[in-house]
Amino acid sequence: MMKVQDVMPWFRLFPPNLWAVAYFEGVRYGHFTMGVAELLCSWALEGHELPIVQMMEHIREQLTGWFHERRSIGMSMQSVLVPSAEKVISEAVADSQCYQVLRANKVEFEIVSSERTNIVDIQSRCCS
């Protein structure tokens, strides 16, 4: 059985923003909830009067059904992205049609629109 002390040296090879939500600086798609934990608790409550082995079997059966349903949904998707992310990207692409991108140098770009002009530095990840 793996222990926390066995895994921590491996985690420390990577910066926390790659594995810890608290340090993640990127955009999160969707939202974080306790949905899975709540679901597991509800399944455990459904079988709370059962002996432990039967309760675990009940949870396993529920998970199997859930995984099958999610896999079926995933297999029917035409994109590699989930629908909510696909929508965000499609809207961003549509909005970007009104922008003109001019290269200033190796790392700086001037983004021109009818509303304003911004300088974007992709190396420092800064935008005026």
Side-chain angles (χ1 to χ4, degrees), residues 16-110:
N17 66 324
L18 295 180
W19 56 265
V21 174
Y23 299 104
F24 182 69
E25 297 172 0
V27 176
R28 295 182 184 135
Y29 293 99
H31 56 275
F32 285 91
T33 65
M34 293 298 293
V36 174
E38 291 168 357
L39 194 58
L40 289 171
C41 284
S42 74
W43 291 339
L45 285 173
E46 288 173 9
H48 77 281
E49 293 183 5
L50 296 171
I52 189 70
V53 173
Q54 283 83 2
M55 183 175 76
M56 295 304 293
E57 181 62 17
H58 172 71
I59 292 171
R60 187 195 65 76
E61 288 171 358
Q62 296 291 335
L63 284 170
T64 301
W66 186 40
F67 292 153
H68 175 72
E69 178 185 335
R70 301 299 294 178
R71 183 176 188 280
S72 296
I73 291 168
M75 295 300 289
S76 69
M77 291 181 186
Q78 300 299 313
S79 173
V80 296
L81 301 173
V82 296
S84 59
E86 183 75 33
K87 181 181 176 194
V88 169
I89 290 175
S90 295
E91 289 171 354
V93 167
D95 291 345
S96 72
Q97 300 301 314
C98 65
Y99 295 108
Q100 181 181 15
V101 179
L102 306 170
R103 188 178 196 135
N105 58 45
K106 191 173 181 179
V107 295
E108 290 183 332
F109 294 82
E110 185 176 0

